[in-house]
Amino acid sequence: GAGVSQTPSNKVTEKGKYVELRCDPISGHTALYWYRQSLGQGPEFLIYFQGTGAADDSGLPNDRFFAVRPEGSVSTLKIQRTERGDSAVYLCASSEGTSTYNEQFFGPGTRLTVL
Amino acid sequence: EDQVTQSPEALRLQEGESSSLNCSYTVSGLRGLFWYRQDPGKGPEFLFTLYSAGEEKEKERLKATLTKKESFLHITAPKPEDSATYLCAVPYLSGGSYIPTFGRGTSLIVHP
């Protein structure tokens, strides 16, 4: 079956611009997570959704970052006034629930480059 | 401070040369430990979940074990296709939810 998909695969933008990154989770998965991964680092948690609501957004670095999941399926990560330090790979993962034992399925990521 | 530490950062092996990767963690009340494999340009791929000390799981040439303070990923007679970065993650309590915290990973290269 279809896995987690993310678009675009690559995004190059200029400092100060606004970007949107999209995640399509596995059908039926209620939990959706966003992570950010810098070179040589493990994924860093940003936010997770249970259904339509953001259950935990404690990993968002500042108020320039925002994410939505209006219908409980597709999610969009939005970054305003991008900075060079925002350059990283943004990963999305989904799972059947939020139990700590639930396997997370990751998408291929969106590589964001801020010039 | 709760954290997850992986060692070594990088490992080069000859094909057939067995070895182990380490993941140490500090948490009270472990809620599972996850191992993932990540290939360049791709997202992490789930390998194993371990729940309690003494537990072991195997998949092909990989075997994961767990103690109260660390986990090992043993690679037996590796092949070049086992080359990847191996990540471990431990859920930590954050604002009422358990959020996986990842280590930096071990980059494994297996030479033919």
Side-chain angles (χ1 to χ4, degrees):
Chain A
V4 178
S5 62
Q6 293 186 245
T7 54
S9 56
N10 281 283
K11 177 70 176 178
V12 180
T13 191
E14 294 180 343
K15 178 184 173 184
K17 299 291 187 181
Y18 168 83
V19 297
E20 290 190 352
L21 313 180
R22 175 187 168 108
C23 172
D24 276 275
I26 292 173
S27 177
H29 280 190
T30 58
L32 185 147
Y33 299 76
W34 282 99
Y35 295 87
R36 178 168 69 175
Q37 187 174 27
S38 300
L39 191 63
Q41 305 290 319
E44 174 190 9
F45 168 76
L46 295 176
I47 184 172
Y48 97 85
F49 292 86
Q50 177 61 24
T52 60
D56 189 324
D57 64 358
S58 62
L60 294 177
N62 52 58
D63 61 6
R64 296 187 296 106
F65 289 74
F66 188 70
V68 296
R69 194 186 186 199
E71 298 179 355
S73 179
V74 171
S75 177
T76 304
L77 178 65
K78 307 180 180 189
I79 310 175
Q80 299 178 323
R81 304 183 304 279
T82 53
E83 299 178 356
R84 293 191 179 88
D86 298 334
S87 296
V89 175
Y90 289 81
L91 295 165
C92 173
S94 70
S95 70
E96 291 181 344
T98 55
S99 165
T100 55
Y101 303 127
N102 282 337
E103 172 185 349
Q104 291 189 0
F105 295 84
F106 281 83
T110 293
R111 180 175 298 278
L112 176 65
T113 303
V114 182
L115 302 177
Chain B
E1 179 181 322
D2 295 335
Q3 63 178 1
V4 179
T5 304
Q6 292 190 245
S7 62
E9 289 186 7
L11 181 62
R12 292 178 180 267
L13 300 173
Q14 289 296 127
E15 184 171 2
E17 179 186 2
S18 301
S19 188
S20 297
L21 314 181
N22 177 267
C23 172
S24 63
Y25 60 89
T26 57
V27 68
S28 54
L30 183 67
R31 298 266 177 158
L33 183 144
F34 307 95
W35 281 100
Y36 290 85
R37 168 189 172 132
Q38 187 172 27
D39 292 296
K42 296 187 177 181
E45 175 188 350
F46 173 79
L47 292 173
F48 306 108
T49 304
L50 300 168
Y51 302 107
S52 57
E55 186 175 3
E56 299 183 353
K57 288 193 175 175
E58 292 188 61
K59 181 180 180 180
E60 297 181 355
R61 295 175 292 282
L62 301 177
K63 182 170 79 171
T65 61
L66 181 65
T67 72
K68 288 185 177 180
K69 293 186 177 182
E70 59 192 347
S71 176
F72 291 93
L73 185 64
H74 307 279
I75 303 177
T76 302
K79 298 182 177 181
E81 54 261 44
D82 294 322
S83 298
T85 294
Y86 292 85
L87 297 162
C88 72
V90 173
Y92 285 91
L93 188 61
S94 169
S97 302
Y98 282 90
I99 303 300
T101 297
F102 284 81
R104 293 186 175 188
T106 293
S107 174
L108 173 66
I109 297 176
V110 181
H111 296 285

